[in-house]
Amino acid sequence: AQLCCTNPHVADIAAETARQWLKRTPEARMVSVTHNDWNNWCTCSNCAALIAKEGAPSAIALHLANEVAKRLEKEFPDVLIDTFAYGWTQTPPRHMQAHPNVLVRICPIGNCFGHPIRTCKHNADCREAVTKWSRISRTIFVWHYVNDFFHYMSPWPCLPSLEDDIHYYLEHKLKGLFLQANGNSNGGDFADLKAYIWAKKMWNPALKLNDLRQEFLAGYYGDAADAVEEYCATFEKAFKAAGPDYHLQIYNQSPWKNTSP
């Protein structure tokens, strides 16, 4: 189960723990106060009442983050309290506002990552979350996913959609971006190429995907650059041709479910 987010003693303990961490690492400007990576949120009478009032379980997680931020704001006015909009907290509450020192980190784990957020019908929940959380919190970070976690080496043509997604996030007050790739594997689908492009795009979103790809391919593959570009383009074109009912998701049991017929 999760902790009870509306219990004031929980907020006291969380704030004091964060205070001790920040004292030991005075250069830190962020501390995470967020839920564990599973469901089973608290359903005590206080939590249940807040969830009913706000229409989403995210209300209790935001409540805890707000309470910790209030307890730390005088001593650490420049520190952000990080909390997730992830899984059961992705849907924002109806009325609550984030404390000015609360950072909301949106993690759209259920997205289709082959089509842009702004156009794919599978990403409607993400669009709603990004739009509403950007109104609730002054600081938005995103935890975005960029490969097939069941089949790291399978072709996963996510680069074109990611270019648009970065700009979509920026249009909604994005301040920070983390891209989770193949951290549990020794390799992945064009890991070096993608890491290069992602790093460059996060440094300067105005850079163009195709320019960065050609730059990397020429420097990394030399005379084979054109052949590798043809390989990359083949999968991107095939996925695009498959139409809007085929999607790239990060947890599909069969790799061919993530590709065109």
Side-chain angles (χ1 to χ4, degrees), residues 212-232:
L212 292 172
R213 180 150 79 185
Q214 297 309 314
E215 180 179 83
F216 181 88
L217 293 179
Y220 194 86
Y221 291 101
D223 292 342
D226 289 344
V228 178
E229 167 60 24
E230 182 181 1
Y231 176 91
C232 293

Side-chain angles (χ1 to χ4, degrees), residues 22-39:
L22 292 167
K23 285 182 176 179
R24 290 198 298 268
T25 54
E27 71 280 4
R29 290 293 176 267
M30 186 186 305
V31 61
S32 184
V33 179
T34 194
H35 59 83
N36 290 304
D37 196 0
W38 53 75
N39 292 324

